[in-house]
Amino acid sequence: MKSVRGAVFLFVLSSGAGLAQSDYPVKPVAFTAVHVTDGFWAPRIEINRTVTIPFAFRKDEETGRVDNFIRAAEALRGERLENGKAPGYPFDDTDVYKVIEGASYTLSVHPDPQLDAYLDELIKKIAAAQEPDGYLYTARTIDPLHPHPWSGPRRWMLEEVDSHELYDQGHLYEAAVAHYLATGKRSLLDIAIRSANLLVETFGPGKQTIWPGHQITEMGLAKLYRVTGDRRYLDLAKFLLDVRGPDTYTGGDTHRQPSYNQAQEKVVDQTEAVGHAVRATYMYSGMADVAALTGDTRYVNAIDRIWDNVAGKKLYITGGIGASAAGEAFGANYQLPNMTAYNETCAAVGNDFWNHRLFLLHADAKYIDVMERTLYNGLISGVSLDGTTFFYPNPLESKGQHHRDPWFGVACCPGNITRFMASVPGDVYAQRNDAIWVNLFVGSTAEIKLDNGRTVQVTQETRYPWEGAVKMTVTPDQAAALTIHVRIPGWARNEPIASDLYRYADKPPQTATLKVDGVSVPMTLDKGYVDVTRTWKKGDTIELNLPMPVRRVVAATEVEADRGRVAIERGPIVYAAEWVDNPGKKVRNLVLPDSVPLTAEYRADLLHGVEVVKGRAVAYSEDDQGTSKQVSMKQQEFTAIPYYAWANRGSGEMTVWLPNSEAGVTPAPFPTLTNSATVTTSGSKSPLPMQDSEDPRASNDSRFYFDWWPQGTASGGPERVTSGWVEYRWKLPITISESDLYWFDDTGRGGVRVPAGWKILYRDGDGWKPVQNSGAWGTERDKFNHVHFPAVTTTALRLEVKFQATFSAGVQRWRVK
Ligand SMILES: [Zn+2]
């Protein structure tokens, strides 16, 4: 098995090198060449292989995503007359492709005959769903007369809007190349080639002109070109980039806004990161690929400018990107809100892809600094430590409304995690002829095959990211002149990112040092690397020492959300204060004065082993109700955990940016009837916002609300729900005579409206009785709707809400007195 795989790689590498005119000036060292043995990544990669990938395949089956291929095949054979429901989304096929890609990566380093056989069967199902001319898109093939509404009545006609036909093909190509390289089997590759040939026949100069609504086809075609040498695929990738924009649409449809899918200008003219963040980073990655393969520097100039914009104005401290939930998009410059930060897990994956490619173009460590920041923080936060629940958005602050889910209706993120985690070791090294770049510090043994045919084994011993000592042993196949570029991370050079967006609030007590064979090397930096050029011989050592004090970070004053606040970092890890570890189960009421010393401590028993940060904070609480609120303060123990590990112990408060003075603090509220109730609802979202003491700004305030969406709307499933309920329960009987309702309503943005009607019931014995409200049950927007009723003594209240037809409903606050 092993020798077969080796032969496949050799074939691809040798023939690929001859076929491609040019490629990246620096070459990645494939993850297959890097055997990770450390305590941080090795267990994660193993959980991904043994838990997440089988789990995601099971979800693909349970949710009908695999059935879609079977149904499409039946339709093609004419066996299916009643075709029933179209797939949930026209991009559901990609959730299968992504997990195949992830599974293939694991197969190439970990033989597993059972998984191999499972993939063979799955690929047969995919093959059977492909139309004779190569078209592969179950959302249409299942029932061409009644395709998914986003697909449009004819092929490609809605591609630039919402059909995702080309997006599906792009993920197919990525999966096919991975499967071919891992197994040497052409089964999926041949499917991809048939599909790509159809695209080549359909699109191009003198044929149809179209740009992918959701980018990735460009990257996928570049990969397909590399393994097949068929230049037409590269030409098509370039064509798909060059025909994008400028879109002149001026209507109101959110998904048609030119900037939503980066069609506001020609790609080579773009200067700012805008629109849907996943599409954007996939496009920038595709531009890097096409630039590398064609030598066209216009793409490079554009993505360099865009990178300056992101690194300087649109990057969260966690490496997350895409601040806005509306359109899953980049926000305006410096618009980096914490609680509503969208930061889709897929956007973090895309950010990593893009920065890695920029590094391969420029050999500059500033891209690896962003990649590492994303990788260790805002990307792996997307999957739980046990590998079975996921975050779609990755916010930097929570009141407890956020929680991980085992799957999503739009399930892009879990699949992306499976393929990403399996390939992380490919980010550790890069090489060119007689040079090696050491980019990440991961306990591992790598067999690095240089372009010049030589092989160098590099072993890293380190407890990174918890300790900054890294010992590397270099073993060339024979003594040879070679430059090893050792990255000195930005965080160890007092520069969180190569921009003025963030800076450390203090000076580092010590600086990084490097020894080669026990002799200190001058720390002369070139593009973030110390370059060690010498004749390396077997057993030579490099000892890197990166001191890891706990640091405070401040953001540029333009970032309103972070003013008067600090974030905590240690090494590459960004910290978060989470409710579980702090007294009173609250953290948003804490102030962390700059004078408080912070120390680090390794806790093997906690969160699969983490370094925690400890100190003392000041806790603020309201100790009185009413117009003149009194606030009390007390000193208490403070503990922060790595951000990536939050929300693994239930839902509650979390914050990354802590106020360093009382100006930014949110005192813990005084206990009221409202916030002391246990709340449950008929919806699936957290009901906690309803009990919050902070007034909403308006009914459409999207910072902190509850709604029943998608219940009541067309996307809420076949059994349309027309009403919802909320219950407040108390341990002891309470007496109540007033209630205030502030409705959530996102007219113009979503499907939630003030209700058609509502009522309040109270618990009486075993039943519910309505309260005797003699006034109106108000449904006005942007205000509290007050009701007054004869006092009732009870242990529970129930709010019943009737939805408007075809709409859902939601509640900003429900207060009772
Ligand atoms: Zn996603």
Side-chain angles (χ1 to χ4, degrees):
M1 182 103 188
K2 207 174 176 89
S3 60
V4 172
R5 286 201 322 278
V8 170
F9 279 110
L10 274 179
F11 165 75
V12 170
L13 284 174
S14 56
S15 60
L19 293 163
Q21 299 256 316
S22 64
D23 209 322
Y24 284 103
V26 177
K27 307 285 192 303
V29 172
F31 69 91
T32 45
V34 184
H35 179 57
V36 173
T37 52
D38 74 337
F40 190 85
W41 288 108
R44 279 182 171 69
I45 292 168
E46 187 64 0
I47 284 175
N48 184 58
R49 184 182 78 82
T50 58
V51 179
T52 312
I53 287 175
F55 176 82
F57 273 134
R58 200 160 65 241
K59 285 288 177 188
D60 278 335
E61 291 183 7
E62 285 171 10
T63 58
R65 284 164 167 81
V66 173
D67 275 347
N68 289 339
F69 290 100
I70 296 170
R71 292 164 64 209
E74 287 169 355
L76 284 176
R77 293 194 300 265
E79 292 167 12
R80 176 173 280 274
L81 299 174
E82 286 295 322
N83 289 298
K85 202 168 155 275
Y89 289 100
F91 41 77
D92 282 354
D93 294 356
T94 65
D95 299 325
V96 179
Y97 300 148
K98 273 186 270 193
V99 190
I100 293 178
E101 185 181 343
S104 298
Y105 291 154
T106 72
L107 274 186
S108 52
V109 289
H110 201 292
D112 180 341
Q114 215 180 329
L115 179 60
D116 195 23
Y118 178 82
L119 292 187
D120 288 344
E121 288 308 305
L122 195 51
I123 291 167
K124 279 182 201 158
K125 291 171 187 154
I126 295 168
Q130 187 167 34
E131 298 192 14
D133 67 353
Y135 187 74
L136 181 48
Y137 181 71
T138 63
R140 187 183 312 283
T141 306
I142 286 175
D143 189 350
L145 293 178
H146 309 94
H148 191 280
W150 294 6
S151 304
R154 293 190 315 280
R155 286 182 183 183
W156 322 115
M157 71 174 291
L158 290 185
E159 170 56 33
E160 287 171 7
V161 189
D162 264 338
S163 81
H164 292 80
E165 283 154 294
L166 292 176
Y167 173 70
D168 288 7
Q169 311 314 303
H171 271 298
L172 168 67
Y173 306 160
E174 298 236 325
V177 169
H179 182 253
Y180 170 64
L181 293 180
T183 64
K185 296 177 190 175
R186 294 191 59 104
S187 49
L188 194 59
L189 184 66
D190 286 337
I191 297 171
I193 287 172
R194 282 196 290 277
S195 155
N197 289 346
L198 174 67
L199 298 196
V200 166
E201 285 156 23
T202 310
F203 306 111
K207 305 171 201 167
Q208 285 192 56
T209 295
I210 203 170
W211 64 76
H214 191 317
Q215 299 89 326
I216 196 174
T217 331
E218 306 84 345
M219 264 196 281
L221 284 166
K223 282 191 180 173
L224 209 50
Y225 163 61
R226 285 199 186 95
V227 296
T228 62
D230 190 334
R231 174 85 197 187
R232 297 177 307 156
Y233 304 149
L234 175 60
D235 292 342
L236 180 60
K238 186 174 186 322
F239 177 81
L240 294 176
L241 288 172
D242 291 346
V243 299
R244 179 178 293 275
D247 188 354
T248 52
Y249 176 82
T250 54
D253 182 349
T254 336
H255 286 197
R256 285 280 342 255
Q257 297 309 310
S259 59
Y260 173 69
N261 60 17
Q262 298 75 41
Q264 75 283 7
E265 298 171 87
K266 286 283 172 202
V267 302
V268 294
D269 295 331
Q270 298 189 15
T271 55
E272 185 178 351
V274 295
H276 192 276
V278 181
R279 296 171 201 236
T281 49
Y282 284 9
M283 181 175 90
Y284 309 151
S285 300
M287 287 164 73
D289 284 346
V290 172
L293 292 164
T294 63
D296 191 333
T297 53
R298 295 173 311 146
Y299 302 113
V300 183
N301 295 338
I303 53 178
D304 284 353
R305 288 191 302 266
I306 296 167
W307 188 87
D308 285 340
N309 174 247
V310 174
K313 300 181 175 73
K314 297 191 177 184
L315 184 74
Y316 279 93
I317 190 74
T318 55
I321 53 167
S324 169
E328 308 185 315
F330 284 103
N333 288 336
Y334 301 112
Q335 189 195 340
L336 297 166
N338 291 310
M339 192 177 293
T340 59
Y342 198 65
N343 289 350
E344 183 178 343
T345 298
C346 290
V349 170
N351 202 24
D352 191 295
F353 287 164
W354 177 36
N355 277 281
H356 190 230
R357 283 163 165 83
L358 282 166
F359 159 77
L360 298 174
L361 285 168
H362 296 299
D364 192 322
K366 69 182 183 181
Y367 305 112
I368 304 298
D369 286 344
V370 173
M371 188 183 87
E372 181 184 65
R373 179 171 291 281
T374 308
L375 183 60
Y376 281 94
N377 302 292
L379 197 163
I380 57 171
S381 57
V383 58
S384 64
L385 297 173
D386 68 5
T388 60
T389 54
F390 307 89
F391 269 136
Y392 196 115
N394 291 271
L396 280 77
E397 183 179 11
S398 183
K399 294 185 185 182
Q401 73 270 45
H402 303 98
H403 61 93
R404 298 171 183 278
D405 279 305
W407 199 249
F408 308 95
V410 175
C412 49
C413 299
N416 240 340
I417 283 284
T418 64
R419 66 185 191 133
F420 185 84
M421 294 298 260
S423 56
V424 165
D427 288 343
V428 178
Y429 296 103
Q431 62 84 24
R432 178 174 66 202
N433 252 334
D434 49 2
I436 291 172
W437 282 261
V438 182
N439 280 333
L440 298 181
F441 306 107
V442 178
S444 59
T445 300
E447 292 285 332
I448 301 175
K449 200 162 168 30
L450 301 177
D451 271 357
N452 64 13
R454 312 294 292 273
T455 302
V456 183
Q457 189 192 74
V458 182
T459 301
Q460 286 193 35
E461 294 163 73
T462 179
R463 287 197 67 248
Y464 202 88
W466 311 126
E467 286 176 21
V470 186
K471 185 182 174 191
M472 291 172 246
T473 307
V474 181
T475 308
D477 53 2
Q478 53 181 278
L482 180 71
T483 301
I484 299 186
H485 304 269
V486 180
R487 173 171 162 257
I488 308 301
W491 61 260
R493 292 185 279 107
N494 209 33
E495 183 183 83
I497 299 166
S499 77
D500 56 9
L501 186 55
Y502 300 108
R503 66 182 169 78
Y504 291 109
D506 50 4
K507 283 268 170 290
Q510 298 163 289
T511 56
T513 58
L514 189 70
K515 286 181 181 170
V516 174
D517 282 346
V519 180
S520 289
V521 171
M523 299 300 283
T524 313
L525 290 172
D526 179 20
K527 293 182 173 180
Y529 296 90
V530 173
D531 301 341
V532 188
T533 304
R534 67 201 294 263
T535 299
W536 294 89
K537 53 187 195 319
K538 193 176 175 185
D540 283 353
T541 59
I542 301 173
E543 288 162 273
L544 175 65
N545 188 38
L546 303 166
M548 279 191 181
V550 179
R551 311 287 305 271
R552 286 172 166 88
V553 186
V554 292
T557 51
E558 289 90 340
V559 184
E560 192 189 343
D562 301 340
R563 274 182 215 153
R565 292 169 184 270
V566 295
I568 301 168
E569 281 189 22
R570 182 176 178 276
I573 302 289
V574 174
Y575 280 78
E578 194 179 23
W579 61 283
V580 205
D581 309 297
N582 288 279
K585 308 289 183 213
K586 293 198 180 307
V587 296
R588 297 180 69 245
N589 63 330
L590 300 180
V591 168
L592 190 66
D594 291 343
S595 56
V596 169
L598 296 171
T599 56
E601 173 189 316
Y602 188 71
R603 291 273 307 275
D605 59 320
L606 190 68
L607 298 164
H608 293 206
V610 288
E611 195 88 23
V612 299
V613 167
K614 304 197 79 117
R616 290 185 72 77
V618 186
Y620 284 66
S621 322
E622 291 174 357
D623 61 2
D624 194 8
Q625 285 191 83
T627 48
S628 58
K629 279 183 179 169
Q630 299 293 308
V631 169
S632 72
M633 289 165 265
K634 74 165 191 280
Q635 289 248 347
Q636 62 183 44
E637 290 294 320
F638 167 79
T639 303
I641 58 159
Y643 168 76
Y644 73 76
W646 85 281
N648 275 285
R649 297 169 292 175
S651 296
E653 291 191 353
M654 180 279 291
T655 189
V656 170
W657 289 95
L658 291 139
N660 57 0
S661 73
E662 71 177 51
V665 78
T666 310
F670 183 82
T672 61
L673 285 183
T674 304
N675 68 24
S676 61
T678 302
V679 56
T680 52
T681 81
S682 59
S684 59
K685 295 184 186 169
S686 167
L688 291 178
M690 283 187 258
Q691 296 174 288
D692 196 55
S693 58
E694 205 178 312
D695 283 354
R697 291 171 186 157
S699 279
N700 67 4
D701 187 343
S702 60
R703 291 172 307 158
F704 198 54
Y705 65 94
F706 163 84
D707 68 29
W708 282 275
W709 192 90
Q711 292 178 16
T713 69
S715 39
E719 311 264 310
R720 187 160 298 178
V721 176
T722 56
S723 64
W725 56 260
V726 183
E727 285 179 19
Y728 280 177
R729 288 172 184 277
W730 293 270
K731 288 198 184 85
L732 298 170
I734 48 119
T735 301
I736 283 187
S737 62
E738 287 179 65
S739 174
D740 288 284
L741 244 311
Y742 202 120
W743 301 107
F744 176 70
D745 183 308
D746 59 7
T747 299
R749 205 173 62 216
V752 185
R753 298 291 180 274
V754 295
W758 59 288
K759 59 186 170 183
I760 292 175
L761 306 128
Y762 68 98
R763 189 101 189 146
D764 183 40
D766 290 339
W768 294 98
K769 284 189 177 164
V771 301
Q772 299 304 309
N773 171 29
S774 51
W777 297 98
T779 55
E780 282 187 65
R781 289 184 186 85
D782 304 331
K783 60 174 283 207
F784 279 100
N785 291 275
H786 184 76
V787 294
H788 196 112
F789 44 85
V792 294
T793 299
T794 183
T795 55
L797 280 190
R798 181 177 167 101
L799 169 68
E800 290 189 353
V801 174
K802 190 172 174 342
F803 304 160
Q804 291 191 44
T806 74
F807 290 108
S808 191
V811 175
Q812 291 273 10
R813 304 287 178 271
W814 180 26
R815 290 181 191 153
V816 295
K817 276 193 280 197

